[in-house]
Amino acid sequence: MTGRQDIQISVVVPVYNEESNLLPLYGRLASVLKSTVGESYEILFVNDGSQDQSLEILRTLGSQHAAVRYIDFSRNFGHQIAVMAGLDHAVGQSVVIIDADLQDPPELIADLYHKMQEGFEVVYAKRRTRKGESVIKKLTARLFYRILQSITSVAIPVDTGDFRIIHSKVVDVLRQMPEQHKFLRGQISWVGFRQTHILYDRDERLGGSTGYTYRKMIRFALDGITSFSDFPLKLATLAGFVVSFFAFLYMIWTLIARIVWPESHVQGWASLII
Ligand code: UDP
Ligand code: MG
C-alpha cells in the first residue's frame, strides 16, 4: 500500500459533467506533476453524479494510469461535498484542490508546491483576473466576498476559490470538522497555520458549461455567511426587539384609548388588541 511517505502531492478534482475537459486536464496535470515530484503523486477524481461520459473517461484513465483513482457519487451532491470526499481519501503529504474545467491552470501547481517548501501549510491561488465569465457572475462574486469580509471576523481571502495546496496537517483538521454545509475556503482560513498566496490569471473554462447554477451559487453564499458570521442572527434579534417595542407602544395606546374614549370601539376590541 502506498502511504503518505511515498506520495508528495495528491490532486483532488471535483467533476460534474466535464467529459470534454478530463483528457486535456489529465495530460497537463501529469506533465506538471512529473516535472515537480517525479512519480510520487496521485490524482483523485470525484465524479459528482455527472450525466455525461465523465465516469467512463475516469474509468479508462484509472485503468491506464496507476496514479489515477476516482470516487463515484450516486447522485449530484455539490462541489464542496465532492472536494471533501476527495480530501477524505487523499493520502499525500500535501493536497492540491483544482477545478476540472482548466480554469485553474495546472502548471501553477509547481509554483504552489515550491512556495509551500518555503514553510507554509496553505498556499492559495488568488485570481488577478478572470476570463470568460459573465459580468453578472464576476459582479456577484465580487460583492459576495466583500460582504462576507465585512460581516465576519475570520479573514477569508477575497477573490479566491478552492484552488490551492494544503499540507496533510490541514487536511487532518478539516476531516475532523463536523460542518454539514461545507465552506472549505472559509474553514481553511479559520484553522490557522501559516498561509500565503500567489497571484494568477484565471482562464476560461475549456469545454462544457458551468455546473454552478444560480441556485447552487446562492446556497453556497448562504452557507458561507451563516457559517462564518453571526450577523444574520444578530439582525433577527434586533428585528425582534424593534417589533416588540412598537407593539408595546401600541398596547399602551390601546389602553389609554379604552379609558379616555370608552365608546369609540366595539366591546372587546381593547382586550383583543392588547
Ligand atoms: N462541480 C461539482 N459539482 C457541482 C458543480 C460543479 O463537482 O455540482 C465541479 C466542476 O466539475 C468543476 C468545479 O466543481 O470542477 C467548479 O465548477 P464550475 O466550473 O462549474 O463552477 P464555476 O467555475 O463556473 O464557478
Ligand atoms: Mg469553472
Side-chain angles (χ1 to χ4, degrees), residues 208 211 221 230:
D230 53 9

Side-chain angles (χ1 to χ4, degrees), residues 97-154:
I97 303 169
I98 190 169
D99 283 357
D101 59 1
L102 289 167
Q103 283 200 280
D104 306 330
E107 294 69 30
L108 206 72
I109 292 175
D111 302 338
L112 292 170
Y113 182 74
H114 291 130
K115 191 83 194 168
M116 176 172 250
Q117 307 311 309
E118 292 174 19
F120 296 97
E121 276 98 16
V122 177
V123 185
Y124 53 89
K126 195 173 151 100
R127 322 185 237 247
R128 192 186 298 129
T129 58
R130 45 202 296 177
K131 255 186 266 170
E133 286 176 308
S134 70
V135 178
I136 296 182
K137 172 115 189 183
K138 285 190 216 175
L139 200 74
T140 48
R142 217 186 137 75
L143 202 68
F144 167 65
Y145 286 112
R146 301 301 181 286
I147 291 176
L148 185 61
Q149 198 183 36
S150 67
I151 59 175
T152 173
S153 54
V154 182

